[in-house]
Every structure is written in C-alpha cells, then in structure tokens.
Amino acid sequence: MANNDKQSSKDVAHLAAETLNNPNASAIQKSLAGSVLSQAGTKNQTGANMEAKASAALKNPRSSEVIKTLAGSVVSQSNKKR
C-alpha cells in the first residue's frame, strides 16, 4: 500500500470515534469509521475494498449524512490511479 499525504481531519476523526462508540451504529458506519481513524495522524491509504464500499455508500441515496461524511473522507484518501 502506498503512502498517503492526506490525513483525516480532526472533526471527521472525532465523528468516526463517536460512531465506533455508538452501539446503534450500523456495520457500514463502523467499517467506514475504522478506516477514517486508521488514516488519522498516519500516512495509511484507503484499500481497494474499502474504497469500493465508500463509493457505493456515497452513491446510495438512502445513506445518512454520517455515512456520507465518513465515506467522503475515505474516498478522498484512496489511490488516485484506481
């Protein structure tokens, strides 16, 4: 996996932490939140599988604002060549 110059913002990382601590959060919310946190303060880059999940979440008109915020962060840190 290549290095990433972008990192999750503090606000989005905070939202991700709240999501992971929320017992009512869905599996996709927790998955996206985990990816966001793994990219906070590191040079980790989004993997292809997580990029596909985030992209699908962004395209889904039923996705919540939380999902769209987390997914947007994940996609913005993906491999630009994909």
Side-chain angles (χ1 to χ4, degrees):
M1 191 176 290
N3 282 337
N4 182 18
D5 292 332
K6 292 184 176 183
Q7 296 179 4
S8 300
S9 72
K10 289 181 183 180
D11 289 340
V12 176
H14 181 74
L15 175 63
E18 287 180 340
T19 300
L20 287 174
N21 287 318
N22 180 351
N24 297 319
S26 67
I28 187 66
Q29 285 176 317
K30 289 189 177 200
S31 180
L32 291 168
S35 182
V36 166
L37 285 179
S38 78
Q39 296 166 17
T42 69
K43 292 193 176 219
N44 291 344
Q45 187 176 69
T46 302
N49 289 341
M50 186 53 63
E51 181 183 346
K53 279 185 186 181
S55 178
L58 286 171
K59 291 176 185 174
N60 184 344
R62 293 176 38 188
S63 290
S64 69
E65 287 303 311
V66 170
I67 289 176
K68 288 184 178 187
T69 299
L70 296 172
S73 179
V74 169
V75 168
S76 74
Q77 297 176 56
S78 63
N79 184 332
K80 303 303 180 218
K81 293 180 182 178
R82 277 196 289 250

